[in-house]
Amino acid sequence: MTDPIGPAIEAALFPIPNLVAFPGTIIPLHVFEPRYRQLVKDSLESQRMIGVCHTRKTIREAPTNQTTSEMLSSNQATYQPQEVFSAGPCKLIDTTPDGRLLAEIHVEQRLVIKTERQTLPYRIVVCESINDNIIEDADKSKHEAELSAELQKDIIAALHPMIARQNQDAADSLLNPTWSSTDFSFGVFQYLRLDPDLMQLILECRSTVERLSTIWQAIQQGPAE
C-alpha cells in the first residue's frame, strides 16, 4: 500500500465552525467580514483556491451587540483551522448594495496544511493534496471494492426512505446508478449531516471502504440530522 501525496498547492483559508466540505460539492458563502471579502476578491484575481474548513477552537470571540454596519466594517471571530480540509475555485454570484459577497466554492480536492505563508488579514497556506492510499495487492483491492459496493447499497437503502419523507426528488437522485463508491463516499454528504467532528474524521480517511464503514456505523447508531 502506498501513500500518495501531491505537489505543493496554495489555498486561502475560510474557516467556518461545524462545516466540513467534501470533494464534488458546492459550498455557498455569504461573505460580510472585510478580511474575507478581501480574500474572495484576491482569490478571484489570482485564481487561488479557497479552502473551506472546520475549526479546532476559537482564538478570539466575535464582538457582541453589533449593528449591521459594524459587522460589515469589522472582523469577527478568529479560529484555529483544521489541518485537513477541502478546497476549490471560487465563483462570485452577486454583490449586494452594502458590499456583501455571495459566492460559491466548487470543492475539488482534499488538502493538508504544511506551512503558513500569510497570517493577516487572512491565512494563505501551502498544502499538499491528499488522496486515498493505493492498494497494490489485486485480491485485497477487489475485496475492498466489493465491500465498498455493499456498504454503498446499505447506506442508500437506509437513507432513501428518510429523505423521501421530505424531498422525493432528492431521495431519487440518491439512486443515481453512475455513483462510483469513491464519489458516493463524498457525495452522500449532499443528503446527510453527521456530527461535524465525525465528518472531519471521515474527510481524513484514506480509503473509500473506511469512509463508508464509518458512515454506515453512524447511521446504524442513530437517525441522521
Side-chain angles (χ1 to χ4, degrees):
M1 180 180 292
T2 58
D3 183 12
I5 297 290
I9 298 170
E10 277 193 0
L13 286 189
F14 200 120
I16 304 176
N18 302 323
L19 194 155
V20 181
F22 290 86
T25 59
I26 296 175
I27 304 297
L29 295 179
H30 175 198
V31 189
F32 60 91
E33 290 186 52
R35 58 182 166 183
Y36 293 128
R37 296 203 305 268
Q38 190 64 49
L39 179 156
V40 169
K41 293 174 182 177
D42 291 348
S43 297
L44 287 168
E45 182 177 347
S46 64
Q47 298 185 325
R48 179 182 289 118
M49 289 197 300
I50 295 178
V52 180
C53 55
H54 181 31
T55 59
R56 288 185 178 275
K57 66 178 182 179
T58 302
I59 297 173
R60 180 177 64 84
E61 297 286 352
T64 58
N65 301 320
Q66 298 178 91
T67 65
T68 300
S69 177
E70 288 170 336
M71 292 178 66
L72 289 170
S73 61
S74 62
N75 294 323
Q76 303 299 304
T78 299
Y79 303 101
Q80 180 183 351
Q82 291 283 351
E83 292 182 357
V84 175
F85 60 94
S86 295
C90 178
K91 179 180 179 181
L92 182 63
I93 305 301
D94 196 12
T95 302
T96 65
D98 60 9
R100 289 172 290 155
L101 305 180
L102 305 180
E104 291 178 345
I105 308 301
H106 292 247
V107 183
E108 294 181 346
Q109 59 183 300
R110 293 178 293 166
L111 301 173
V112 57
I113 298 173
K114 305 309 290 184
T115 60
E116 188 169 297
R117 190 174 73 75
Q118 173 181 299
T119 303
L120 298 172
Y122 57 84
R123 283 187 173 92
I124 297 176
V125 291
V126 179
C127 311
E128 291 177 344
S129 60
I130 58 173
N131 300 293
D132 286 351
N133 295 324
I134 298 172
I135 302 173
E136 297 173 347
D137 182 277
D139 289 338
K140 185 174 181 181
S141 178
K142 180 181 178 182
H143 172 72
E144 289 217 356
E146 292 172 347
L147 181 55
S148 293
E150 287 300 315
L151 285 165
Q152 177 178 336
K153 186 184 302 183
D154 290 340
I155 292 168
I156 290 174
L159 289 182
H160 185 270
M162 291 190 288
I163 297 169
R165 288 196 289 268
Q166 298 181 357
N167 188 322
Q168 186 65 50
D169 289 341
D172 291 344
S173 70
L174 188 65
L175 304 175
N176 187 340
T178 64
W179 282 118
S180 70
S181 291
T182 299
D183 289 343
F184 179 79
S185 69
F186 294 131
V188 68
F189 290 102
Q190 299 173 43
Y191 311 91
L192 176 67
R193 287 293 176 268
L194 302 173
D195 174 82
D197 291 335
L198 179 58
M199 290 174 67
Q200 179 68 33
L201 177 65
I202 293 168
L203 180 71
E204 297 176 13
C205 289
R206 301 298 292 273
S207 75
T208 299
V209 71
E210 185 180 2
R211 284 190 295 276
L212 293 175
S213 294
T214 305
I215 293 166
W216 179 233
Q217 290 170 13
I219 290 173
Q220 289 180 304
Q221 289 171 2
E225 294 182 1

mmCIF file of all heavy atoms in Angstrom, residues 125-175:
data_model
loop_
_atom_site.group_PDB
_atom_site.id
_atom_site.type_symbol
_atom_site.label_atom_id
_atom_site.label_comp_id
_atom_site.label_asym_id
_atom_site.label_seq_id
_atom_site.Cartn_x
_atom_site.Cartn_y
_atom_site.Cartn_z
ATOM 1 N N VAL A 125 -2.165 29.328 3.051
ATOM 2 C CA VAL A 125 -1.359 28.186 3.479
ATOM 3 C C VAL A 125 -0.822 27.434 2.266
ATOM 4 O O VAL A 125 -1.432 27.421 1.193
ATOM 5 C CB VAL A 125 -2.176 27.220 4.374
ATOM 6 C CG1 VAL A 125 -2.474 27.878 5.711
ATOM 7 C CG2 VAL A 125 -3.464 26.797 3.691
ATOM 8 N N VAL A 126 0.352 26.838 2.473
ATOM 9 C CA VAL A 126 0.940 25.954 1.470
ATOM 10 C C VAL A 126 0.602 24.536 1.891
ATOM 11 O O VAL A 126 0.858 24.133 3.039
ATOM 12 C CB VAL A 126 2.461 26.149 1.370
ATOM 13 C CG1 VAL A 126 3.056 25.192 0.336
ATOM 14 C CG2 VAL A 126 2.790 27.594 1.012
ATOM 15 N N CYS A 127 -0.003 23.789 0.981
ATOM 16 C CA CYS A 127 -0.564 22.482 1.319
ATOM 17 C C CYS A 127 -0.045 21.406 0.365
ATOM 18 O O CYS A 127 0.578 21.698 -0.665
ATOM 19 C CB CYS A 127 -2.090 22.507 1.201
ATOM 20 S SG CYS A 127 -2.866 23.887 2.032
ATOM 21 N N GLU A 128 -0.335 20.198 0.717
ATOM 22 C CA GLU A 128 -0.168 19.073 -0.187
ATOM 23 C C GLU A 128 -1.523 18.420 -0.387
ATOM 24 O O GLU A 128 -2.319 18.331 0.555
ATOM 25 C CB GLU A 128 0.829 18.052 0.373
ATOM 26 C CG GLU A 128 2.260 18.558 0.395
ATOM 27 C CD GLU A 128 3.210 17.564 1.023
ATOM 28 O OE1 GLU A 128 2.729 16.629 1.696
ATOM 29 O OE2 GLU A 128 4.435 17.724 0.858
ATOM 30 N N SER A 129 -1.796 17.999 -1.601
ATOM 31 C CA SER A 129 -3.048 17.291 -1.854
ATOM 32 C C SER A 129 -2.945 15.894 -1.263
ATOM 33 O O SER A 129 -1.858 15.301 -1.205
ATOM 34 C CB SER A 129 -3.326 17.202 -3.362
ATOM 35 O OG SER A 129 -2.281 16.519 -4.018
ATOM 36 N N ILE A 130 -4.058 15.397 -0.773
ATOM 37 C CA ILE A 130 -4.070 14.035 -0.235
ATOM 38 C C ILE A 130 -5.116 13.218 -0.984
ATOM 39 O O ILE A 130 -6.180 13.705 -1.333
ATOM 40 C CB ILE A 130 -4.336 14.016 1.283
ATOM 41 C CG1 ILE A 130 -5.671 14.684 1.630
ATOM 42 C CG2 ILE A 130 -3.206 14.681 2.029
ATOM 43 C CD1 ILE A 130 -6.042 14.539 3.091
ATOM 44 N N ASN A 131 -4.763 11.990 -1.251
ATOM 45 C CA ASN A 131 -5.645 11.069 -1.954
ATOM 46 C C ASN A 131 -5.722 9.771 -1.178
ATOM 47 O O ASN A 131 -4.997 9.566 -0.202
ATOM 48 C CB ASN A 131 -5.131 10.823 -3.379
ATOM 49 C CG ASN A 131 -5.058 12.090 -4.185
ATOM 50 O OD1 ASN A 131 -6.070 12.700 -4.501
ATOM 51 N ND2 ASN A 131 -3.839 12.518 -4.517
ATOM 52 N N ASP A 132 -6.582 8.907 -1.604
ATOM 53 C CA ASP A 132 -6.687 7.613 -0.935
ATOM 54 C C ASP A 132 -5.425 6.790 -1.153
ATOM 55 O O ASP A 132 -4.740 6.915 -2.181
ATOM 56 C CB ASP A 132 -7.901 6.846 -1.458
ATOM 57 C CG ASP A 132 -9.212 7.405 -0.944
ATOM 58 O OD1 ASP A 132 -9.180 8.278 -0.052
ATOM 59 O OD2 ASP A 132 -10.272 6.968 -1.418
ATOM 60 N N ASN A 133 -5.116 5.958 -0.175
ATOM 61 C CA ASN A 133 -4.000 5.035 -0.309
ATOM 62 C C ASN A 133 -4.237 4.097 -1.492
ATOM 63 O O ASN A 133 -5.370 3.704 -1.775
ATOM 64 C CB ASN A 133 -3.824 4.216 0.971
ATOM 65 C CG ASN A 133 -3.430 5.079 2.156
ATOM 66 O OD1 ASN A 133 -2.673 6.041 2.005
ATOM 67 N ND2 ASN A 133 -3.946 4.758 3.325
ATOM 68 N N ILE A 134 -3.178 3.761 -2.171
ATOM 69 C CA ILE A 134 -3.254 2.850 -3.312
ATOM 70 C C ILE A 134 -2.956 1.430 -2.838
ATOM 71 O O ILE A 134 -1.906 1.161 -2.234
ATOM 72 C CB ILE A 134 -2.258 3.261 -4.405
ATOM 73 C CG1 ILE A 134 -2.601 4.653 -4.931
ATOM 74 C CG2 ILE A 134 -2.255 2.255 -5.545
ATOM 75 C CD1 ILE A 134 -1.568 5.238 -5.871
ATOM 76 N N ILE A 135 -3.890 0.529 -3.089
ATOM 77 C CA ILE A 135 -3.715 -0.877 -2.708
ATOM 78 C C ILE A 135 -3.086 -1.616 -3.881
ATOM 79 O O ILE A 135 -3.671 -1.697 -4.966
ATOM 80 C CB ILE A 135 -5.058 -1.525 -2.331
ATOM 81 C CG1 ILE A 135 -5.706 -0.747 -1.191
ATOM 82 C CG2 ILE A 135 -4.867 -2.988 -1.952
ATOM 83 C CD1 ILE A 135 -7.109 -1.213 -0.848
ATOM 84 N N GLU A 136 -1.906 -2.126 -3.676
ATOM 85 C CA GLU A 136 -1.169 -2.763 -4.759
ATOM 86 C C GLU A 136 -1.513 -4.241 -4.913
ATOM 87 O O GLU A 136 -1.298 -4.821 -5.979
ATOM 88 C CB GLU A 136 0.330 -2.575 -4.551
ATOM 89 C CG GLU A 136 0.728 -1.087 -4.597
ATOM 90 C CD GLU A 136 2.172 -0.853 -4.235
ATOM 91 O OE1 GLU A 136 2.809 -1.794 -3.705
ATOM 92 O OE2 GLU A 136 2.674 0.268 -4.479
ATOM 93 N N ASP A 137 -2.036 -4.857 -3.853
ATOM 94 C CA ASP A 137 -2.425 -6.256 -3.924
ATOM 95 C C ASP A 137 -3.780 -6.367 -4.627
ATOM 96 O O ASP A 137 -4.774 -5.806 -4.163
ATOM 97 C CB ASP A 137 -2.521 -6.841 -2.507
ATOM 98 C CG ASP A 137 -2.882 -8.308 -2.518
ATOM 99 O OD1 ASP A 137 -4.088 -8.620 -2.616
ATOM 100 O OD2 ASP A 137 -1.966 -9.145 -2.439
ATOM 101 N N ALA A 138 -3.825 -7.088 -5.735
ATOM 102 C CA ALA A 138 -5.032 -7.158 -6.566
ATOM 103 C C ALA A 138 -6.202 -7.787 -5.823
ATOM 104 O O ALA A 138 -7.345 -7.326 -5.936
ATOM 105 C CB ALA A 138 -4.744 -7.934 -7.847
ATOM 106 N N ASP A 139 -5.949 -8.844 -5.072
ATOM 107 C CA ASP A 139 -7.033 -9.519 -4.346
ATOM 108 C C ASP A 139 -7.616 -8.613 -3.262
ATOM 109 O O ASP A 139 -8.845 -8.559 -3.080
ATOM 110 C CB ASP A 139 -6.528 -10.823 -3.730
ATOM 111 C CG ASP A 139 -6.250 -11.886 -4.775
ATOM 112 O OD1 ASP A 139 -6.807 -11.788 -5.884
ATOM 113 O OD2 ASP A 139 -5.468 -12.813 -4.486
ATOM 114 N N LYS A 140 -6.748 -7.931 -2.532
ATOM 115 C CA LYS A 140 -7.226 -7.038 -1.487
ATOM 116 C C LYS A 140 -8.002 -5.870 -2.094
ATOM 117 O O LYS A 140 -9.025 -5.450 -1.559
ATOM 118 C CB LYS A 140 -6.056 -6.511 -0.656
ATOM 119 C CG LYS A 140 -6.507 -5.672 0.537
ATOM 120 C CD LYS A 140 -5.343 -5.291 1.428
ATOM 121 C CE LYS A 140 -5.828 -4.481 2.632
ATOM 122 N NZ LYS A 140 -4.709 -4.075 3.519
ATOM 123 N N SER A 141 -7.507 -5.362 -3.220
ATOM 124 C CA SER A 141 -8.196 -4.263 -3.895
ATOM 125 C C SER A 141 -9.599 -4.688 -4.334
ATOM 126 O O SER A 141 -10.570 -3.930 -4.175
ATOM 127 C CB SER A 141 -7.383 -3.809 -5.108
ATOM 128 O OG SER A 141 -8.052 -2.783 -5.799
ATOM 129 N N LYS A 142 -9.702 -5.899 -4.874
ATOM 130 C CA LYS A 142 -11.009 -6.409 -5.312
ATOM 131 C C LYS A 142 -11.950 -6.577 -4.127
ATOM 132 O O LYS A 142 -13.138 -6.226 -4.194
ATOM 133 C CB LYS A 142 -10.828 -7.740 -6.031
ATOM 134 C CG LYS A 142 -12.129 -8.358 -6.521
ATOM 135 C CD LYS A 142 -11.885 -9.692 -7.204
ATOM 136 C CE LYS A 142 -13.203 -10.326 -7.653
ATOM 137 N NZ LYS A 142 -12.984 -11.647 -8.290
ATOM 138 N N HIS A 143 -11.418 -7.102 -3.011
ATOM 139 C CA HIS A 143 -12.238 -7.320 -1.816
ATOM 140 C C HIS A 143 -12.773 -5.980 -1.284
ATOM 141 O O HIS A 143 -13.962 -5.878 -0.937
ATOM 142 C CB HIS A 143 -11.409 -8.019 -0.736
ATOM 143 C CG HIS A 143 -12.111 -8.116 0.587
ATOM 144 N ND1 HIS A 143 -13.175 -8.963 0.804
ATOM 145 C CD2 HIS A 143 -11.906 -7.437 1.762
ATOM 146 C CE1 HIS A 143 -13.606 -8.817 2.046
ATOM 147 N NE2 HIS A 143 -12.851 -7.905 2.645
ATOM 148 N N GLU A 144 -11.905 -4.956 -1.237
ATOM 149 C CA GLU A 144 -12.342 -3.661 -0.731
ATOM 150 C C GLU A 144 -13.375 -3.025 -1.657
ATOM 151 O O GLU A 144 -14.319 -2.367 -1.190
ATOM 152 C CB GLU A 144 -11.139 -2.732 -0.538
ATOM 153 C CG GLU A 144 -10.244 -3.141 0.623
ATOM 154 C CD GLU A 144 -9.678 -1.956 1.374
ATOM 155 O OE1 GLU A 144 -9.907 -0.807 0.974
ATOM 156 O OE2 GLU A 144 -9.001 -2.196 2.393
ATOM 157 N N ALA A 145 -13.224 -3.226 -2.966
ATOM 158 C CA ALA A 145 -14.197 -2.693 -3.922
ATOM 159 C C ALA A 145 -15.559 -3.346 -3.723
ATOM 160 O O ALA A 145 -16.604 -2.676 -3.764
ATOM 161 C CB ALA A 145 -13.710 -2.903 -5.346
ATOM 162 N N GLU A 146 -15.564 -4.659 -3.507
ATOM 163 C CA GLU A 146 -16.821 -5.369 -3.283
ATOM 164 C C GLU A 146 -17.467 -4.938 -1.973
ATOM 165 O O GLU A 146 -18.688 -4.739 -1.903
ATOM 166 C CB GLU A 146 -16.566 -6.882 -3.286
ATOM 167 C CG GLU A 146 -16.173 -7.416 -4.659
ATOM 168 C CD GLU A 146 -15.741 -8.872 -4.616
ATOM 169 O OE1 GLU A 146 -15.504 -9.397 -3.483
ATOM 170 O OE2 GLU A 146 -15.613 -9.498 -5.686
ATOM 171 N N LEU A 147 -16.656 -4.784 -0.935
ATOM 172 C CA LEU A 147 -17.179 -4.349 0.359
ATOM 173 C C LEU A 147 -17.731 -2.927 0.273
ATOM 174 O O LEU A 147 -18.789 -2.622 0.828
ATOM 175 C CB LEU A 147 -16.083 -4.437 1.424
ATOM 176 C CG LEU A 147 -16.462 -4.031 2.853
ATOM 177 C CD1 LEU A 147 -17.663 -4.824 3.345
ATOM 178 C CD2 LEU A 147 -15.274 -4.215 3.794
ATOM 179 N N SER A 148 -17.028 -2.049 -0.455
ATOM 180 C CA SER A 148 -17.497 -0.676 -0.633
ATOM 181 C C SER A 148 -18.846 -0.647 -1.346
ATOM 182 O O SER A 148 -19.747 0.121 -0.976
ATOM 183 C CB SER A 148 -16.469 0.138 -1.429
ATOM 184 O OG SER A 148 -15.278 0.306 -0.687
ATOM 185 N N ALA A 149 -18.991 -1.492 -2.365
ATOM 186 C CA ALA A 149 -20.247 -1.542 -3.114
ATOM 187 C C ALA A 149 -21.396 -1.996 -2.220
ATOM 188 O O ALA A 149 -22.517 -1.460 -2.306
ATOM 189 C CB ALA A 149 -20.108 -2.468 -4.317
ATOM 190 N N GLU A 150 -21.149 -2.972 -1.353
ATOM 191 C CA GLU A 150 -22.183 -3.446 -0.439
ATOM 192 C C GLU A 150 -22.543 -2.375 0.591
ATOM 193 O O GLU A 150 -23.724 -2.170 0.904
ATOM 194 C CB GLU A 150 -21.707 -4.719 0.275
ATOM 195 C CG GLU A 150 -21.690 -5.956 -0.611
ATOM 196 C CD GLU A 150 -23.075 -6.284 -1.161
ATOM 197 O OE1 GLU A 150 -24.048 -6.242 -0.381
ATOM 198 O OE2 GLU A 150 -23.170 -6.559 -2.370
ATOM 199 N N LEU A 151 -21.542 -1.688 1.118
ATOM 200 C CA LEU A 151 -21.809 -0.623 2.082
ATOM 201 C C LEU A 151 -22.597 0.511 1.434
ATOM 202 O O LEU A 151 -23.530 1.063 2.032
ATOM 203 C CB LEU A 151 -20.485 -0.086 2.641
ATOM 204 C CG LEU A 151 -19.779 -0.988 3.649
ATOM 205 C CD1 LEU A 151 -18.333 -0.540 3.831
ATOM 206 C CD2 LEU A 151 -20.507 -0.985 4.986
ATOM 207 N N GLN A 152 -22.236 0.851 0.201
ATOM 208 C CA GLN A 152 -22.961 1.888 -0.519
ATOM 209 C C GLN A 152 -24.426 1.504 -0.680
ATOM 210 O O GLN A 152 -25.328 2.320 -0.460
ATOM 211 C CB GLN A 152 -22.324 2.114 -1.893
ATOM 212 C CG GLN A 152 -23.044 3.135 -2.753
ATOM 213 C CD GLN A 152 -22.350 3.356 -4.084
ATOM 214 O OE1 GLN A 152 -21.152 3.125 -4.215
ATOM 215 N NE2 GLN A 152 -23.084 3.810 -5.085
ATOM 216 N N LYS A 153 -24.672 0.260 -1.026
ATOM 217 C CA LYS A 153 -26.047 -0.220 -1.205
ATOM 218 C C LYS A 153 -26.816 -0.132 0.116
ATOM 219 O O LYS A 153 -27.982 0.295 0.143
ATOM 220 C CB LYS A 153 -26.025 -1.668 -1.707
ATOM 221 C CG LYS A 153 -27.384 -2.231 -2.067
ATOM 222 C CD LYS A 153 -27.288 -3.709 -2.458
ATOM 223 C CE LYS A 153 -26.354 -3.925 -3.624
ATOM 224 N NZ LYS A 153 -26.323 -5.359 -4.042
ATOM 225 N N ASP A 154 -26.179 -0.522 1.215
ATOM 226 C CA ASP A 154 -26.836 -0.475 2.525
ATOM 227 C C ASP A 154 -27.153 0.965 2.939
ATOM 228 O O ASP A 154 -28.240 1.247 3.475
ATOM 229 C CB ASP A 154 -25.934 -1.118 3.588
ATOM 230 C CG ASP A 154 -25.824 -2.627 3.422
ATOM 231 O OD1 ASP A 154 -26.702 -3.228 2.769
ATOM 232 O OD2 ASP A 154 -24.842 -3.200 3.945
ATOM 233 N N ILE A 155 -26.215 1.879 2.697
ATOM 234 C CA ILE A 155 -26.410 3.275 3.078
ATOM 235 C C ILE A 155 -27.563 3.885 2.287
ATOM 236 O O ILE A 155 -28.429 4.577 2.836
ATOM 237 C CB ILE A 155 -25.107 4.072 2.875
ATOM 238 C CG1 ILE A 155 -24.053 3.611 3.891
ATOM 239 C CG2 ILE A 155 -25.366 5.578 3.023
ATOM 240 C CD1 ILE A 155 -22.655 4.126 3.604
ATOM 241 N N ILE A 156 -27.606 3.618 0.987
ATOM 242 C CA ILE A 156 -28.684 4.144 0.151
ATOM 243 C C ILE A 156 -30.033 3.593 0.606
ATOM 244 O O ILE A 156 -31.021 4.328 0.707
ATOM 245 C CB ILE A 156 -28.428 3.812 -1.333
ATOM 246 C CG1 ILE A 156 -27.245 4.633 -1.855
ATOM 247 C CG2 ILE A 156 -29.679 4.083 -2.176
ATOM 248 C CD1 ILE A 156 -26.812 4.274 -3.261
ATOM 249 N N ALA A 157 -30.071 2.300 0.903
ATOM 250 C CA ALA A 157 -31.328 1.690 1.338
ATOM 251 C C ALA A 157 -31.823 2.304 2.638
ATOM 252 O O ALA A 157 -33.041 2.452 2.850
ATOM 253 C CB ALA A 157 -31.133 0.186 1.504
ATOM 254 N N ALA A 158 -30.906 2.698 3.521
ATOM 255 C CA ALA A 158 -31.301 3.296 4.798
ATOM 256 C C ALA A 158 -31.715 4.759 4.638
ATOM 257 O O ALA A 158 -32.674 5.219 5.264
ATOM 258 C CB ALA A 158 -30.151 3.186 5.798
ATOM 259 N N LEU A 159 -30.995 5.489 3.779
ATOM 260 C CA LEU A 159 -31.248 6.922 3.656
ATOM 261 C C LEU A 159 -32.446 7.249 2.777
ATOM 262 O O LEU A 159 -33.151 8.235 3.024
ATOM 263 C CB LEU A 159 -30.012 7.631 3.091
ATOM 264 C CG LEU A 159 -28.788 7.742 3.997
ATOM 265 C CD1 LEU A 159 -27.691 8.525 3.279
ATOM 266 C CD2 LEU A 159 -29.141 8.413 5.314
ATOM 267 N N HIS A 160 -32.693 6.440 1.739
ATOM 268 C CA HIS A 160 -33.708 6.795 0.757
ATOM 269 C C HIS A 160 -35.083 7.059 1.388
ATOM 270 O O HIS A 160 -35.691 8.102 1.123
ATOM 271 C CB HIS A 160 -33.804 5.722 -0.330
ATOM 272 C CG HIS A 160 -34.749 6.086 -1.426
ATOM 273 N ND1 HIS A 160 -36.091 5.761 -1.403
ATOM 274 C CD2 HIS A 160 -34.553 6.777 -2.575
ATOM 275 C CE1 HIS A 160 -36.676 6.213 -2.490
ATOM 276 N NE2 HIS A 160 -35.772 6.841 -3.229
ATOM 277 N N PRO A 161 -35.612 6.171 2.224
ATOM 278 C CA PRO A 161 -36.938 6.444 2.786
ATOM 279 C C PRO A 161 -36.953 7.653 3.723
ATOM 280 O O PRO A 161 -37.954 8.370 3.795
ATOM 281 C CB PRO A 161 -37.292 5.151 3.535
ATOM 282 C CG PRO A 161 -35.995 4.456 3.749
ATOM 283 C CD PRO A 161 -35.124 4.829 2.607
ATOM 284 N N MET A 162 -35.850 7.894 4.431
ATOM 285 C CA MET A 162 -35.805 9.053 5.327
ATOM 286 C C MET A 162 -35.833 10.352 4.533
ATOM 287 O O MET A 162 -36.544 11.300 4.876
ATOM 288 C CB MET A 162 -34.543 8.992 6.198
ATOM 289 C CG MET A 162 -34.565 7.868 7.226
ATOM 290 S SD MET A 162 -33.201 8.008 8.426
ATOM 291 C CE MET A 162 -31.801 7.560 7.408
ATOM 292 N N ILE A 163 -35.064 10.399 3.450
ATOM 293 C CA ILE A 163 -35.014 11.607 2.628
ATOM 294 C C ILE A 163 -36.319 11.796 1.863
ATOM 295 O O ILE A 163 -36.804 12.918 1.687
ATOM 296 C CB ILE A 163 -33.810 11.538 1.665
ATOM 297 C CG1 ILE A 163 -32.508 11.492 2.463
ATOM 298 C CG2 ILE A 163 -33.801 12.727 0.708
ATOM 299 C CD1 ILE A 163 -31.294 11.160 1.640
ATOM 300 N N ALA A 164 -36.916 10.682 1.417
ATOM 301 C CA ALA A 164 -38.152 10.750 0.621
ATOM 302 C C ALA A 164 -39.298 11.380 1.395
ATOM 303 O O ALA A 164 -40.188 11.984 0.794
ATOM 304 C CB ALA A 164 -38.531 9.352 0.142
ATOM 305 N N ARG A 165 -39.289 11.269 2.718
ATOM 306 C CA ARG A 165 -40.353 11.870 3.521
ATOM 307 C C ARG A 165 -40.339 13.388 3.410
ATOM 308 O O ARG A 165 -41.364 14.044 3.624
ATOM 309 C CB ARG A 165 -40.207 11.439 4.988
ATOM 310 C CG ARG A 165 -40.581 9.981 5.242
ATOM 311 C CD ARG A 165 -40.790 9.717 6.721
ATOM 312 N NE ARG A 165 -39.544 9.739 7.446
ATOM 313 C CZ ARG A 165 -38.782 8.672 7.691
ATOM 314 N NH1 ARG A 165 -39.151 7.474 7.206
ATOM 315 N NH2 ARG A 165 -37.671 8.773 8.383
ATOM 316 N N GLN A 166 -39.185 13.962 3.074
ATOM 317 C CA GLN A 166 -39.072 15.417 2.965
ATOM 318 C C GLN A 166 -38.941 15.881 1.520
ATOM 319 O O GLN A 166 -39.449 16.935 1.160
ATOM 320 C CB GLN A 166 -37.874 15.909 3.771
ATOM 321 C CG GLN A 166 -37.992 15.622 5.263
ATOM 322 C CD GLN A 166 -36.801 16.147 6.045
ATOM 323 O OE1 GLN A 166 -35.851 16.676 5.479
ATOM 324 N NE2 GLN A 166 -36.846 15.999 7.351
ATOM 325 N N ASN A 167 -38.248 15.093 0.696
ATOM 326 C CA ASN A 167 -38.000 15.525 -0.684
ATOM 327 C C ASN A 167 -37.808 14.289 -1.563
ATOM 328 O O ASN A 167 -36.738 13.694 -1.580
ATOM 329 C CB ASN A 167 -36.765 16.427 -0.729
ATOM 330 C CG ASN A 167 -36.554 17.072 -2.089
ATOM 331 O OD1 ASN A 167 -36.787 16.448 -3.128
ATOM 332 N ND2 ASN A 167 -36.085 18.312 -2.087
ATOM 333 N N GLN A 168 -38.845 13.929 -2.307
ATOM 334 C CA GLN A 168 -38.803 12.719 -3.127
ATOM 335 C C GLN A 168 -37.765 12.829 -4.240
ATOM 336 O O GLN A 168 -37.054 11.864 -4.531
ATOM 337 C CB GLN A 168 -40.178 12.441 -3.738
ATOM 338 C CG GLN A 168 -40.271 11.132 -4.500
ATOM 339 C CD GLN A 168 -40.101 9.916 -3.607
ATOM 340 O OE1 GLN A 168 -40.744 9.795 -2.565
ATOM 341 N NE2 GLN A 168 -39.202 9.004 -3.994
ATOM 342 N N ASP A 169 -37.662 13.996 -4.858
ATOM 343 C CA ASP A 169 -36.692 14.165 -5.939
ATOM 344 C C ASP A 169 -35.262 13.984 -5.439
ATOM 345 O O ASP A 169 -34.429 13.335 -6.095
ATOM 346 C CB ASP A 169 -36.836 15.542 -6.595
ATOM 347 C CG ASP A 169 -38.104 15.663 -7.426
ATOM 348 O OD1 ASP A 169 -38.669 14.604 -7.789
ATOM 349 O OD2 ASP A 169 -38.532 16.795 -7.697
ATOM 350 N N ALA A 170 -34.966 14.564 -4.280
ATOM 351 C CA ALA A 170 -33.627 14.410 -3.708
ATOM 352 C C ALA A 170 -33.354 12.954 -3.366
ATOM 353 O O ALA A 170 -32.261 12.435 -3.617
ATOM 354 C CB ALA A 170 -33.481 15.283 -2.465
ATOM 355 N N ALA A 171 -34.360 12.289 -2.814
ATOM 356 C CA ALA A 171 -34.203 10.876 -2.475
ATOM 357 C C ALA A 171 -33.924 10.051 -3.722
ATOM 358 O O ALA A 171 -33.049 9.166 -3.719
ATOM 359 C CB ALA A 171 -35.450 10.366 -1.763
ATOM 360 N N ASP A 172 -34.646 10.332 -4.800
ATOM 361 C CA ASP A 172 -34.450 9.564 -6.029
ATOM 362 C C ASP A 172 -33.090 9.843 -6.657
ATOM 363 O O ASP A 172 -32.507 8.957 -7.302
ATOM 364 C CB ASP A 172 -35.572 9.875 -7.019
ATOM 365 C CG ASP A 172 -36.915 9.318 -6.565
ATOM 366 O OD1 ASP A 172 -36.926 8.448 -5.669
ATOM 367 O OD2 ASP A 172 -37.953 9.766 -7.098
ATOM 368 N N SER A 173 -32.567 11.067 -6.486
ATOM 369 C CA SER A 173 -31.240 11.355 -7.029
ATOM 370 C C SER A 173 -30.152 10.566 -6.324
ATOM 371 O O SER A 173 -29.072 10.331 -6.854
ATOM 372 C CB SER A 173 -30.937 12.855 -6.935
ATOM 373 O OG SER A 173 -30.750 13.259 -5.588
ATOM 374 N N LEU A 174 -30.454 10.130 -5.102
ATOM 375 C CA LEU A 174 -29.523 9.279 -4.364
ATOM 376 C C LEU A 174 -29.345 7.933 -5.051
ATOM 377 O O LEU A 174 -28.330 7.256 -4.866
ATOM 378 C CB LEU A 174 -30.051 9.082 -2.936
ATOM 379 C CG LEU A 174 -29.186 8.377 -1.903
ATOM 380 C CD1 LEU A 174 -27.933 9.188 -1.611
ATOM 381 C CD2 LEU A 174 -29.974 8.171 -0.620
ATOM 382 N N LEU A 175 -30.336 7.533 -5.857
ATOM 383 C CA LEU A 175 -30.304 6.240 -6.538
ATOM 384 C C LEU A 175 -29.537 6.280 -7.855
ATOM 385 O O LEU A 175 -29.524 5.296 -8.588
ATOM 386 C CB LEU A 175 -31.738 5.772 -6.818
ATOM 387 C CG LEU A 175 -32.668 5.668 -5.604
ATOM 388 C CD1 LEU A 175 -34.079 5.305 -6.049
ATOM 389 C CD2 LEU A 175 -32.139 4.659 -4.604
#
